[in-house]
Amino acid sequence: MTTQLHIDAINTISHGHHGAPFKILGPHPADDGTITIRAFRPTAKTLTLVEQKPKSKKRHEMTRLSEQGLFEVT
């Protein structure tokens, strides 16, 4: 899924100037029942979300939205 973040929001998070970063970062439910999770990890080349269930661990590769280290997965 492609992000719906405006390029300005991505840039302000990536450069540390966003006034309310947790409006962008962390989990965000959508109207269709999905959840988008964003993380800012400046030193990471890749990032994987691990969904832990009682008998399994499902891995979801996150999409890198900026060279500065903003990642997203839905």
Side-chain angles (χ1 to χ4, degrees), residues 4 6 9 15-16 18 24 33 44 52-53 61 65:
Q4 294 185 7
H6 190 275
H15 294 94
H18 198 283
I24 304 292
Q52 293 191 351
K53 295 187 176 185
E61 294 298 319
L65 301 179

Side-chain angles (χ1 to χ4, degrees), residues 50-73:
V50 179
E51 179 183 357
Q52 293 191 351
K53 295 187 176 185
K55 295 188 180 204
S56 69
K57 291 182 181 180
K58 193 172 184 182
R59 296 178 172 279
H60 305 274
E61 294 298 319
M62 298 183 81
T63 301
R64 190 178 186 124
L65 301 179
S66 74
E67 288 301 313
Q68 291 79 20
L70 182 61
F71 292 84
E72 172 183 86
V73 67

Side-chain angles (χ1 to χ4, degrees), residues 24-45:
I24 304 292
L25 301 174
H28 299 278
D31 292 337
D32 65 0
T34 61
I35 298 174
T36 296
I37 300 172
R38 295 186 194 97
F40 183 61
R41 301 296 300 211
T43 61
K45 301 253 187 235

